[in-house]
Amino acid sequence: MLNILWAAMILIGVVYALVTNRIDSVTSACINSSAEAVAVCIKMAGIVAFWSGIMRIGEKSGLVSALARRCYPVLKFLFPTLNPRSKAMEYISANFIANILGLGWAATPPGLLAMEELQKINPDKKSASREMCMFLIINMSSLQLITVNILAYRSQYNSANPSEIIGPGIAATLLSSIAAIVAAKVFERATFGKAVRE
Amino acid sequence: MNFIGIVSFVSDMIIPIVVSVMIIFGMKKKISVYDTFLEGATDGLKITVKILPTLIGLMVAVGILRESGFLTFLSELLSPAANVVGFPKEAVPLSFMRLVSSSASTGLLLDIFKNYGPDSFIGRFVSVMMSCTETVFYTMSVYFLSVNVTKTRYTLAGALIANAVGLAGALVITIVTFGK
């Protein structure tokens, strides 16, 4: 799926540029975007490394697992087949909490670690497991309650009341997250069958 | 202090509090906090290096698609259909770009604020919409490719449904809250 998607994006772009006589833009996109990717990564590296270090302290002290236990009633419903005491469960809760608080870059390290843990128990290493699909669909439904960036942009452009969108934003976020859970559960049932605790 | 001041104060406080609590709790448990930090930070750096190729591949693909003008073409194509269902056509390119690239969608968002004002109907709608949608393609690629999973099953479909519901929800909620 990702292979096809990626190839299609590039090929469609090239063909469209050819047709509209903007083929030079493809060359500049290759150069500029790859440089941009490295720049983003370098910018991210520091904060991701810092946060991974802080997270590790929390893991060792047991703070993260204590937090995960608090989340377990909700996570049990989302991941019925996943061991509640597993590392994967800890990382998933850390990722969700960071996302809800709007700490995007703090969410990435535990998120990737969660994928690693889930891959260890994945019976088919090339295909997404039940838990991976659920985790990522919820992750991509936007969990962030308050988008501080948007508030900043709104006041920068002289909004009379920049924060008036917080309430509606939270309502819409809840809606999309509920849709994510329902969609993931329905697809899951159709693909993997009923969840059975091992 | 006005409301937005309080909100930004609270969000400024989150990081210092979380960091301090982690360290204090670690010291209470007699953990060598700095050594542990270094361990984690090393792994964190490895993560960044690991996702760099994914990021390069994806950002180039998005860059080509954007620079070729195809994304603009596609959103123009979708505009009439969007208008039929009552979706503001000014927001079509942004709604679309939101799924693909966060820097490009921020650019489009600021364009809308500049041209229509953040307190216009369209300005409010995109503000709400940005807070309930996510850069699906980027997130999916980074997470799946980091563990070499290529068959993603229904992940994309599920994520797109969630984002579509968010989009529609944002529109309805904006109309109900602020009027048209």
Side-chain angles (χ1 to χ4, degrees), chain B residues 74-157:
Chain B
L74 202 61
S75 55
E76 273 164 13
L77 208 67
L78 288 172
S79 291
N83 248 354
V84 169
V85 294
F87 191 86
K89 70 173 193 301
E90 303 87 341
V92 174
L94 174 59
S95 315
F96 203 67
M97 199 59 94
R98 175 70 178 135
L99 298 172
V100 190
S101 151
S102 82
S103 61
S105 60
T106 304
L108 289 175
L109 175 82
L110 298 184
D111 276 348
I112 288 180
F113 282 173
K114 195 158 54 190
N115 295 333
Y116 302 94
D119 295 334
S120 63
F121 171 72
I122 183 85
R124 283 168 170 158
F125 165 60
V126 293
S127 306
V128 176
M129 183 271 279
M130 287 295 276
S131 46
C132 69
T133 46
E134 195 66 65
T135 46
V136 167
F137 294 104
Y138 162 77
T139 312
M140 205 171 101
S141 310
V142 167
Y143 278 68
F144 273 133
L145 291 177
S146 75
V147 289
N148 298 319
V149 166
T150 49
K151 269 189 68 186
T152 59
R153 300 195 200 261
Y154 49 86
T155 312
L156 182 61

Coordinates of all heavy atoms in Angstrom, one line a residue, chain B residues 74-157:
Chain B
L74 N -6.2 19.3 -8.4 CA -7.2 18.4 -7.8 C -8.2 19.1 -6.9 O -9.4 18.8 -6.9 CB -6.4 17.4 -7.0 CG -7.1 16.0 -6.7 CD1 -7.4 15.3 -8.0 CD2 -6.2 15.2 -5.8
S75 N -7.7 20.1 -6.2 CA -8.6 20.8 -5.3 C -9.6 21.7 -6.1 O -10.7 21.9 -5.7 CB -7.9 21.6 -4.2 OG -7.0 22.5 -4.8
E76 N -9.1 22.2 -7.3 CA -10.1 22.9 -8.1 C -11.1 22.0 -8.7 O -12.3 22.4 -8.9 CB -9.3 23.6 -9.3 CG -8.8 25.0 -8.9 CD -7.7 25.5 -9.8 OE1 -7.5 24.9 -10.9 OE2 -7.0 26.4 -9.4
L77 N -10.7 20.8 -9.0 CA -11.6 19.8 -9.5 C -12.7 19.4 -8.5 O -13.8 19.2 -8.8 CB -10.8 18.5 -9.9 CG -11.3 17.6 -11.0 CD1 -11.2 18.3 -12.3 CD2 -10.5 16.3 -11.0
L78 N -12.2 19.4 -7.2 CA -13.2 19.0 -6.1 C -14.1 20.2 -5.7 O -15.1 19.9 -5.1 CB -12.4 18.5 -4.9 CG -11.7 17.2 -5.1 CD1 -10.8 16.9 -3.9 CD2 -12.7 16.1 -5.2
S79 N -13.7 21.4 -6.0 CA -14.4 22.6 -5.5 C -15.9 22.5 -5.9 O -16.8 22.8 -5.0 CB -13.8 23.9 -6.1 OG -12.6 24.1 -5.5
P80 N -16.3 22.3 -7.1 CA -17.8 22.3 -7.4 C -18.5 21.2 -6.6 O -19.6 21.5 -6.0 CB -17.8 21.9 -8.9 CG -16.5 22.1 -9.5 CD -15.5 22.0 -8.3
A81 N -17.9 20.1 -6.5 CA -18.5 19.0 -5.7 C -18.6 19.4 -4.2 O -19.7 19.2 -3.6 CB -17.7 17.7 -5.8
A82 N -17.6 20.1 -3.7 CA -17.6 20.6 -2.4 C -18.8 21.6 -2.2 O -19.5 21.6 -1.2 CB -16.3 21.3 -2.0
N83 N -18.9 22.5 -3.2 CA -20.0 23.5 -3.1 C -21.4 22.9 -3.0 O -22.2 23.4 -2.3 CB -19.9 24.4 -4.3 CG -19.4 25.8 -3.9 OD1 -19.3 26.1 -2.7 ND2 -19.2 26.7 -4.9
V84 N -21.5 21.8 -3.7 CA -22.9 21.1 -3.7 C -23.3 20.7 -2.3 O -24.4 20.9 -1.9 CB -22.8 19.9 -4.7 CG1 -24.1 19.1 -4.5 CG2 -22.7 20.4 -6.1
V85 N -22.3 20.2 -1.6 CA -22.6 19.7 -0.2 C -22.5 20.8 0.8 O -22.6 20.6 2.0 CB -21.8 18.5 0.2 CG1 -22.1 17.3 -0.6 CG2 -20.3 18.8 0.1
G86 N -22.3 22.1 0.4 CA -22.2 23.2 1.3 C -20.9 23.4 1.9 O -20.8 24.1 2.9
F87 N -19.9 22.8 1.4 CA -18.5 22.9 1.9 C -17.9 24.2 1.3 O -17.9 24.3 0.1 CB -17.7 21.7 1.6 CG -16.4 21.6 2.3 CD1 -16.3 21.1 3.6 CD2 -15.2 22.1 1.7 CE1 -15.1 21.0 4.3 CE2 -14.0 22.0 2.4 CZ -14.0 21.5 3.7
P88 N -17.4 25.1 2.1 CA -16.8 26.3 1.5 C -15.6 26.0 0.6 O -14.7 25.4 1.0 CB -16.4 27.1 2.8 CG -16.3 26.2 3.9 CD -17.3 25.1 3.6
K89 N -15.7 26.5 -0.6 CA -14.7 26.1 -1.6 C -13.3 26.7 -1.3 O -12.3 26.2 -1.7 CB -15.2 26.4 -3.0 CG -15.2 27.9 -3.4 CD -15.5 27.9 -4.9 CE -15.3 29.3 -5.5 NZ -16.1 30.4 -4.9
E90 N -13.3 27.8 -0.6 CA -12.0 28.4 -0.3 C -11.2 27.5 0.6 O -10.0 27.6 0.7 CB -12.2 29.8 0.5 CG -13.0 30.8 -0.2 CD -14.5 30.6 0.0 OE1 -15.0 29.5 0.5 OE2 -15.3 31.6 -0.2
A91 N -11.9 26.6 1.3 CA -11.2 25.7 2.3 C -10.8 24.4 1.7 O -10.1 23.6 2.3 CB -12.0 25.5 3.5
V92 N -11.1 24.2 0.4 CA -10.8 22.9 -0.2 C -9.3 22.6 -0.3 O -8.9 21.5 0.2 CB -11.5 22.7 -1.6 CG1 -11.1 21.4 -2.3 CG2 -13.0 22.7 -1.4
P93 N -8.5 23.5 -0.8 CA -7.1 23.2 -0.9 C -6.5 22.9 0.5 O -5.7 22.0 0.6 CB -6.5 24.5 -1.5 CG -7.6 25.2 -2.2 CD -8.8 24.8 -1.4
L94 N -6.9 23.7 1.5 CA -6.3 23.5 2.8 C -6.7 22.2 3.4 O -5.9 21.4 3.9 CB -6.8 24.6 3.7 CG -6.4 24.5 5.2 CD1 -4.9 24.4 5.4 CD2 -7.0 25.7 6.0
S95 N -8.0 21.8 3.3 CA -8.5 20.5 3.8 C -7.7 19.4 3.2 O -7.5 18.4 3.9 CB -10.0 20.3 3.5 OG -10.7 21.5 3.7
F96 N -7.4 19.5 2.0 CA -6.7 18.5 1.2 C -5.2 18.4 1.7 O -4.7 17.4 2.0 CB -6.8 18.9 -0.2 CG -6.6 17.8 -1.2 CD1 -7.6 16.8 -1.2 CD2 -5.5 17.8 -2.0 CE1 -7.4 15.8 -2.1 CE2 -5.4 16.7 -2.8 CZ -6.3 15.7 -2.9
M97 N -4.6 19.6 1.7 CA -3.2 19.7 2.0 C -2.9 19.3 3.5 O -1.9 18.7 3.8 CB -2.7 21.1 1.8 CG -1.3 21.3 1.7 SD -0.6 20.4 0.3 CE -0.6 21.6 -1.0
R98 N -3.9 19.5 4.3 CA -3.8 19.1 5.7 C -3.4 17.7 5.9 O -2.7 17.3 6.8 CB -5.2 19.4 6.4 CG -5.2 19.0 7.8 CD -4.4 19.9 8.7 NE -4.5 19.5 10.1 CZ -3.5 19.4 10.9 NH1 -2.3 19.6 10.5 NH2 -3.6 19.1 12.2
L99 N -3.9 16.8 5.0 CA -3.6 15.4 5.1 C -2.2 15.0 4.8 O -1.7 14.0 5.1 CB -4.6 14.6 4.2 CG -6.1 14.7 4.5 CD1 -6.8 14.0 3.4 CD2 -6.4 14.0 5.8
V100 N -1.6 15.9 4.0 CA -0.3 15.6 3.4 C 0.9 16.3 4.0 O 1.9 15.6 4.3 CB -0.3 15.9 1.9 CG1 0.9 15.4 1.2 CG2 -1.6 15.4 1.2
S101 N 0.7 17.5 4.3 CA 1.9 18.3 4.8 C 1.6 19.3 5.8 O 0.7 20.2 5.5 CB 2.6 18.9 3.5 OG 3.3 20.1 3.9
S102 N 2.2 19.3 6.9 CA 1.8 20.3 7.9 C 2.4 21.7 7.6 O 1.7 22.7 7.9 CB 2.2 19.8 9.3 OG 3.5 20.1 9.6
S103 N 3.6 21.8 7.0 CA 4.1 23.1 6.7 C 3.3 23.8 5.6 O 3.0 24.9 5.7 CB 5.6 23.0 6.3 OG 5.8 22.2 5.2
A104 N 3.0 23.0 4.6 CA 2.2 23.5 3.5 C 0.8 24.0 3.9 O 0.3 25.0 3.5 CB 2.0 22.5 2.3
S105 N 0.2 23.2 4.8 CA -1.2 23.5 5.3 C -1.1 24.7 6.2 O -2.0 25.6 6.2 CB -1.9 22.3 6.0 OG -1.1 21.9 7.1
T106 N 0.0 24.9 7.0 CA 0.1 26.1 7.8 C 0.2 27.3 6.9 O -0.5 28.4 7.1 CB 1.3 26.0 8.7 OG1 1.2 24.9 9.5 CG2 1.4 27.3 9.6
G107 N 0.9 27.2 5.8 CA 1.0 28.3 4.8 C -0.4 28.7 4.3 O -0.8 29.9 4.2
L108 N -1.2 27.7 3.9 CA -2.5 27.9 3.3 C -3.4 28.5 4.4 O -4.3 29.4 4.1 CB -3.1 26.6 2.8 CG -2.5 26.1 1.5 CD1 -3.1 24.8 1.1 CD2 -2.7 27.1 0.4
L109 N -3.3 28.1 5.6 CA -4.1 28.6 6.7 C -3.8 30.1 6.9 O -4.8 30.9 7.0 CB -3.8 27.8 8.0 CG -4.4 28.4 9.3 CD1 -5.8 27.8 9.4 CD2 -3.7 28.0 10.5
L110 N -2.6 30.5 6.9 CA -2.2 31.9 7.1 C -2.7 32.7 5.9 O -3.2 33.8 6.1 CB -0.7 32.0 7.3 CG -0.2 31.3 8.5 CD1 1.3 31.6 8.7 CD2 -0.9 31.7 9.8
D111 N -2.7 32.1 4.7 CA -3.3 32.8 3.5 C -4.8 33.1 3.8 O -5.2 34.2 3.5 CB -3.2 31.9 2.3 CG -1.8 32.0 1.6 OD1 -1.1 33.0 2.0 OD2 -1.5 31.2 0.8
I112 N -5.5 32.1 4.3 CA -6.9 32.3 4.5 C -7.1 33.4 5.6 O -8.0 34.3 5.5 CB -7.6 31.0 5.0 CG1 -7.7 30.1 3.7 CG2 -9.0 31.3 5.6 CD1 -8.3 28.8 4.0
F113 N -6.3 33.4 6.7 CA -6.4 34.4 7.7 C -6.2 35.8 7.1 O -6.8 36.8 7.5 CB -5.4 34.1 8.8 CG -5.9 33.1 9.8 CD1 -5.0 32.6 10.8 CD2 -7.1 32.5 9.7 CE1 -5.4 31.6 11.7 CE2 -7.6 31.5 10.6 CZ -6.7 31.1 11.6
K114 N -5.2 35.9 6.2 CA -4.8 37.1 5.6 C -5.9 37.7 4.7 O -6.3 38.8 4.8 CB -3.5 37.0 4.8 CG -2.8 38.3 4.5 CD -1.3 38.1 4.2 CE -1.1 37.0 3.1 NZ 0.3 36.6 3.0
N115 N -6.5 36.7 3.9 CA -7.5 37.2 2.9 C -8.9 37.4 3.4 O -9.6 38.2 3.0 CB -7.5 36.2 1.7 CG -6.2 36.1 1.0 OD1 -5.5 37.1 1.0 ND2 -5.9 35.0 0.4
Y116 N -9.3 36.5 4.4 CA -10.6 36.6 4.9 C -10.7 37.1 6.3 O -11.8 37.4 6.8 CB -11.3 35.2 4.7 CG -11.3 34.7 3.3 CD1 -10.3 33.9 2.9 CD2 -12.3 35.1 2.4 CE1 -10.3 33.4 1.6 CE2 -12.3 34.6 1.1 CZ -11.3 33.8 0.7 OH -11.3 33.3 -0.6
G117 N -9.6 37.0 7.1 CA -9.6 37.4 8.5 C -10.0 36.1 9.3 O -10.8 35.3 8.9
P118 N -9.3 36.0 10.5 CA -9.6 34.9 11.3 C -11.0 34.8 11.9 O -11.4 33.8 12.4 CB -8.5 35.0 12.5 CG -8.1 36.4 12.4 CD -8.3 36.9 11.0
D119 N -11.7 36.0 12.0 CA -13.0 36.0 12.5 C -14.1 35.9 11.5 O -15.3 35.9 11.9 CB -13.2 37.3 13.4 CG -12.3 37.3 14.6 OD1 -11.9 36.2 15.0 OD2 -11.9 38.4 15.0
S120 N -13.8 35.7 10.2 CA -14.8 35.4 9.2 C -15.3 34.0 9.4 O -14.7 33.2 10.1 CB -14.2 35.6 7.8 OG -13.2 34.6 7.7
F121 N -16.4 33.6 8.7 CA -16.9 32.3 8.8 C -15.8 31.3 8.4 O -15.5 30.3 9.1 CB -18.1 32.1 7.9 CG -18.6 30.7 7.8 CD1 -19.1 30.0 8.9 CD2 -18.4 30.0 6.6 CE1 -19.5 28.7 8.8 CE2 -18.7 28.6 6.6 CZ -19.3 28.0 7.6
I122 N -15.2 31.6 7.2 CA -14.2 30.7 6.7 C -13.0 30.6 7.6 O -12.4 29.5 7.9 CB -13.8 31.1 5.3 CG1 -12.8 30.1 4.6 CG2 -13.2 32.5 5.2 CD1 -13.5 28.9 4.0
G123 N -12.6 31.7 8.2 CA -11.5 31.7 9.2 C -11.7 30.9 10.4 O -10.9 30.2 10.9
R124 N -13.0 31.0 10.9 CA -13.3 30.2 12.1 C -13.4 28.7 11.7 O -12.9 27.9 12.5 CB -14.7 30.7 12.6 CG -14.6 31.9 13.4 CD -16.0 32.5 13.7 NE -15.9 33.6 14.6 CZ -16.9 34.5 14.7 NH1 -17.9 34.4 13.9 NH2 -16.8 35.5 15.6
F125 N -14.0 28.5 10.6 CA -14.1 27.1 10.2 C -12.7 26.4 10.1 O -12.5 25.3 10.6 CB -14.8 26.9 8.9 CG -14.7 25.6 8.2 CD1 -15.1 24.4 8.9 CD2 -14.1 25.5 6.9 CE1 -15.0 23.2 8.3 CE2 -14.0 24.2 6.4 CZ -14.4 23.1 7.0
V126 N -11.8 27.0 9.4 CA -10.5 26.4 9.2 C -9.7 26.3 10.5 O -9.0 25.3 10.8 CB -9.6 27.1 8.1 CG1 -10.2 26.9 6.8 CG2 -9.3 28.6 8.5
S127 N -10.0 27.2 11.5 CA -9.3 27.1 12.8 C -9.8 25.9 13.5 O -9.0 25.1 14.1 CB -9.7 28.3 13.7 OG -9.4 29.5 13.0
V128 N -11.1 25.6 13.5 CA -11.7 24.5 14.1 C -11.2 23.2 13.4 O -10.8 22.2 14.0 CB -13.2 24.5 14.1 CG1 -13.8 23.2 14.7 CG2 -13.7 25.7 14.9
M129 N -11.2 23.3 12.1 CA -10.9 22.1 11.3 C -9.4 21.7 11.5 O -9.1 20.5 11.6 CB -11.1 22.5 9.8 CG -10.8 21.4 8.8 SD -9.2 21.3 8.3 CE -9.2 22.6 7.0
M130 N -8.5 22.7 11.6 CA -7.1 22.3 11.8 C -6.9 21.6 13.1 O -5.9 20.9 13.3 CB -6.3 23.6 11.8 CG -6.1 24.3 10.5 SD -5.1 23.2 9.3 CE -3.4 23.7 9.8
S131 N -7.8 21.9 14.1 CA -7.6 21.2 15.4 C -8.1 19.8 15.5 O -8.0 19.2 16.5 CB -8.1 22.1 16.5 OG -9.3 22.6 16.2
C132 N -8.9 19.4 14.5 CA -9.4 18.0 14.6 C -9.0 17.1 13.4 O -9.6 16.1 13.2 CB -10.9 18.1 14.7 SG -11.8 18.6 13.2
T133 N -8.0 17.5 12.7 CA -7.5 16.7 11.6 C -5.9 16.6 11.8 O -5.3 17.2 12.6 CB -7.8 17.4 10.2 OG1 -7.4 18.7 10.3 CG2 -9.2 17.2 9.9
E134 N -5.4 15.7 11.0 CA -4.0 15.3 11.2 C -3.3 15.0 9.9 O -3.9 14.7 8.9 CB -3.9 14.1 12.1 CG -2.6 13.7 12.7 CD -2.2 14.7 13.8 OE1 -2.8 14.9 14.8 OE2 -1.1 15.3 13.5
T135 N -1.9 15.2 9.8 CA -1.2 14.8 8.6 C -1.1 13.3 8.5 O -0.1 12.7 8.9 CB 0.2 15.5 8.6 OG1 0.8 15.2 9.9 CG2 0.2 16.9 8.4
V136 N -2.1 12.7 7.9 CA -2.2 11.3 7.8 C -1.1 10.6 7.1 O -0.5 9.6 7.6 CB -3.6 10.9 7.1 CG1 -3.6 9.4 6.8 CG2 -4.7 11.3 8.1
F137 N -0.7 11.1 5.9 CA 0.2 10.3 5.1 C 1.6 10.3 5.8 O 2.3 9.3 5.8 CB 0.3 10.9 3.7 CG -1.0 10.7 3.0 CD1 -1.8 11.7 2.8 CD2 -1.3 9.4 2.5 CE1 -3.0 11.5 2.1 CE2 -2.5 9.2 1.9 CZ -3.4 10.3 1.7
Y138 N 2.0 11.4 6.3 CA 3.3 11.5 7.0 C 3.4 10.6 8.2 O 4.3 9.8 8.3 CB 3.5 13.0 7.4 CG 4.6 13.1 8.5 CD1 5.9 13.1 8.1 CD2 4.2 13.3 9.8 CE1 6.9 13.2 9.1 CE2 5.2 13.4 10.7 CZ 6.5 13.4 10.4 OH 7.5 13.5 11.4
T139 N 2.4 10.7 9.1 CA 2.4 9.9 10.3 C 2.4 8.4 9.9 O 3.2 7.6 10.5 CB 1.1 10.2 11.1 OG1 0.9 11.6 11.2 CG2 1.2 9.6 12.5
M140 N 1.5 8.0 9.0 CA 1.4 6.6 8.6 C 2.8 6.1 8.1 O 3.2 5.0 8.5 CB 0.3 6.4 7.6 CG -0.2 5.1 7.6 SD -1.7 5.0 6.5 CE -1.0 4.2 5.1
S141 N 3.4 6.9 7.2 CA 4.7 6.4 6.6 C 5.7 6.2 7.7 O 6.4 5.2 7.7 CB 5.2 7.4 5.5 OG 4.1 7.7 4.7
V142 N 5.9 7.3 8.5 CA 6.9 7.2 9.5 C 6.8 6.0 10.4 O 7.7 5.3 10.7 CB 7.0 8.6 10.3 CG1 7.9 8.4 11.5 CG2 7.5 9.7 9.4
Y143 N 5.5 5.8 10.9 CA 5.3 4.8 11.9 C 5.5 3.4 11.3 O 6.1 2.5 11.9 CB 4.0 4.9 12.6 CG 4.0 5.9 13.7 CD1 4.2 7.3 13.5 CD2 3.8 5.5 15.0 CE1 4.2 8.2 14.5 CE2 3.9 6.5 16.1 CZ 4.1 7.8 15.8 OH 4.1 8.7 16.8
F144 N 4.9 3.2 10.1 CA 4.9 1.8 9.6 C 6.3 1.5 9.0 O 6.8 0.4 9.2 CB 3.9 1.7 8.4 CG 2.6 1.3 9.0 CD1 1.4 1.9 8.5 CD2 2.4 0.2 9.9 CE1 0.2 1.5 9.0 CE2 1.2 -0.2 10.4 CZ 0.1 0.5 9.9
L145 N 6.9 2.5 8.4 CA 8.2 2.2 7.8 C 9.3 2.0 8.8 O 10.3 1.3 8.6 CB 8.6 3.3 6.8 CG 7.8 3.3 5.5 CD1 8.1 4.4 4.6 CD2 7.9 1.9 4.8
S146 N 9.1 2.6 10.0 CA 10.1 2.4 11.1 C 10.2 1.0 11.5 O 11.2 0.5 12.1 CB 9.8 3.3 12.3 OG 8.7 2.8 13.0
V147 N 9.1 0.2 11.3 CA 9.2 -1.2 11.7 C 9.1 -2.1 10.4 O 8.8 -3.3 10.5 CB 8.1 -1.6 12.7 CG1 8.4 -1.0 14.0 CG2 6.7 -1.2 12.2
N148 N 9.2 -1.5 9.3 CA 9.2 -2.3 8.0 C 7.9 -3.0 7.7 O 7.9 -4.1 7.1 CB 10.4 -3.3 7.9 CG 11.7 -2.6 8.0 OD1 11.9 -1.6 7.4 ND2 12.6 -3.2 8.8
V149 N 6.8 -2.4 8.1 CA 5.5 -3.0 7.7 C 5.1 -2.3 6.5 O 5.1 -1.0 6.4 CB 4.5 -2.7 8.9 CG1 3.1 -3.0 8.3 CG2 4.8 -3.6 10.0
T150 N 4.8 -3.0 5.4 CA 4.4 -2.4 4.2 C 2.9 -2.7 3.9 O 2.3 -1.9 3.2 CB 5.2 -2.9 3.0 OG1 5.3 -4.3 3.0 CG2 6.6 -2.3 3.0
K151 N 2.3 -3.8 4.4 CA 0.9 -4.0 4.2 C 0.2 -3.3 5.3 O 0.2 -3.8 6.5 CB 0.6 -5.5 4.2 CG 0.7 -6.1 2.8 CD 0.1 -7.5 2.7 CE -1.4 -7.6 3.0 NZ -1.8 -9.0 3.1
T152 N -0.5 -2.2 5.0 CA -1.0 -1.4 6.1 C -2.5 -1.8 6.4 O -3.1 -1.1 7.2 CB -0.9 0.1 5.8 OG1 -1.6 0.3 4.6 CG2 0.5 0.4 5.6
R153 N -3.1 -2.7 5.7 CA -4.5 -3.1 5.8 C -5.4 -1.9 5.8 O -5.3 -1.2 4.8 CB -4.7 -3.9 7.1 CG -3.8 -5.2 7.2 CD -4.3 -6.1 8.3 NE -3.3 -7.0 8.8 CZ -3.3 -8.3 8.3 NH1 -4.2 -8.7 7.5 NH2 -2.4 -9.1 8.8
Y154 N -6.2 -1.8 6.8 CA -7.3 -0.7 6.7 C -6.9 0.6 7.4 O -7.8 1.4 7.7 CB -8.6 -1.3 7.3 CG -8.4 -1.9 8.7 CD1 -8.4 -1.1 9.9 CD2 -8.2 -3.3 8.9 CE1 -8.2 -1.6 11.1 CE2 -8.0 -3.8 10.1 CZ -8.0 -3.0 11.2 OH -7.8 -3.6 12.5
T155 N -5.6 0.7 7.7 CA -5.2 1.9 8.5 C -5.6 3.2 7.7 O -6.1 4.1 8.3 CB -3.7 1.9 8.8 OG1 -3.3 0.6 9.3 CG2 -3.3 3.0 9.8
L156 N -5.2 3.3 6.4 CA -5.5 4.5 5.7 C -7.0 4.8 5.6 O -7.4 5.9 5.9 CB -4.9 4.4 4.3 CG -5.0 5.6 3.4 CD1 -4.4 6.8 4.0 CD2 -4.5 5.3 2.0
A157 N -7.8 3.8 5.3 CA -9.2 3.9 5.2 C -9.8 4.5 6.6 O -10.5 5.4 6.6 CB -9.9 2.6 4.9

